[in-house]
Amino acid sequence: KEELAKRYLSNIANIENYKIRSAKITKTEIEEINELLIRQTNGFYIDDSSNADINEIVGKIKLHKAKHGLHLVFIDYMQLIKSHQKVREQEIAHISRTLKLLAKELGITIVALAQLSRETEKRSDKKPMLSDLRESGQIEQDSDIVLFPFRPAYYADEKPDIEMDAELIIGKNRHGQCVSIPMSFEGAYTRY
């Protein structure tokens, strides 16, 4: 929770992440953060309970939707969720399908992060592909959109402060084109 909160503050206040993490922010910066937080209209909640079971997650999401309303859920990350299937691929498939059905039932967007296999490391072209989704093709089938953030500089020996050649690869888009969108990555603020 703390790490995400610090990244959020860094992002909205344009203050380098290391300053917030190491408590080296000035009084003026603290006042700026305070003012920005007071003006925030979008609330968000973080549940970082460990050993999460898919049924518990579904219950928490439904309860939160009923109590507070809900539009968007981020799951970080799918392979950490537990299910009661005996085979791991079946477990991931069950989790993926459950999240898809939950999103439709509640009319919300669920962004589920998923780990990639190590196959990208073995290729000369490190760009991720749909086949790199780890442990289940069901993730690909259930997804409306699959996005791959890609930073070539991540693989370089020297990393620049701002990576100008980053991109967002749309690997699947049920409702549109699959394209690559040029982006930049600012490591100091942990943001694209």
Side-chain angles (χ1 to χ4, degrees):
K1 286 182 184 179
E2 282 183 28
E3 186 177 324
L4 287 174
K6 288 173 184 175
R7 286 182 179 192
Y8 178 72
L9 292 176
S10 170
N11 190 19
I12 65 167
N14 272 342
I15 299 171
E16 288 97 339
N17 200 348
Y18 82 89
K19 284 183 169 181
I20 294 172
R21 283 193 327 268
S22 59
K24 293 186 177 179
I25 53 179
T26 65
K27 184 178 179 185
T28 304
E29 289 170 328
I30 291 171
E31 290 169 358
E32 287 173 19
I33 290 171
N34 193 36
E35 284 298 315
L36 285 166
L37 290 175
I38 289 170
R39 291 193 306 251
Q40 289 294 309
T41 57
N42 295 329
F44 69 93
Y45 301 85
I46 299 171
D47 181 342
D48 66 348
S49 50
S50 58
N51 296 324
D53 174 274
I54 188 61
N55 296 326
E56 291 173 33
I57 290 171
V58 167
K60 287 178 181 180
I61 290 171
K62 285 183 174 183
L63 181 63
H64 193 90
K65 169 87 174 174
K67 280 185 167 183
H68 308 286
L70 188 62
H71 303 288
L72 179 63
V73 173
F74 287 89
I75 306 282
D76 183 17
Y77 60 96
M78 284 181 64
Q79 285 89 343
L80 289 178
I81 300 173
K82 294 186 176 153
S83 178
H84 301 291
Q85 309 295 315
K86 292 188 173 136
V87 179
R88 186 63 182 154
E89 283 76 14
Q90 290 175 348
E91 190 172 39
I92 295 299
H94 173 70
I95 292 164
S96 174
R97 192 74 189 134
T98 300
L99 292 174
K100 170 77 172 188
L101 293 173
L102 180 64
K104 288 181 88 166
E105 175 188 339
L106 298 180
I108 62 174
T109 299
I110 297 180
V111 177
L113 286 86
Q115 193 174 41
L116 298 179
S117 70
R118 293 274 180 200
E119 292 303 310
T120 55
E121 305 291 328
K122 297 175 186 173
R123 296 192 300 261
S124 59
D125 180 7
K126 307 284 188 211
K127 286 187 179 186
M129 310 182 297
L130 287 172
S131 59
D132 294 326
L133 287 171
R134 191 168 182 189
E135 295 182 309
S136 177
Q138 190 67 41
I139 296 170
E140 176 189 344
Q141 289 179 22
D142 290 333
S143 301
D144 289 333
I145 299 173
V146 177
L147 304 173
F148 296 110
F150 178 61
R151 297 169 36 215
Y154 175 82
Y155 300 99
D157 293 332
E158 289 188 36
K159 295 172 180 35
D161 291 336
I162 298 177
E163 299 172 24
M164 299 305 292
D165 62 345
E167 57 187 291
L168 182 64
I169 301 165
I170 302 176
K172 176 185 177 183
N173 188 352
R174 194 174 304 240
H175 308 291
Q177 281 186 298
C178 291
V179 296
S180 187
I181 302 167
M183 302 183 82
S184 60
F185 177 75
E186 298 176 89
Y189 306 102
T190 321
R191 72 175 168 215
Y192 283 87

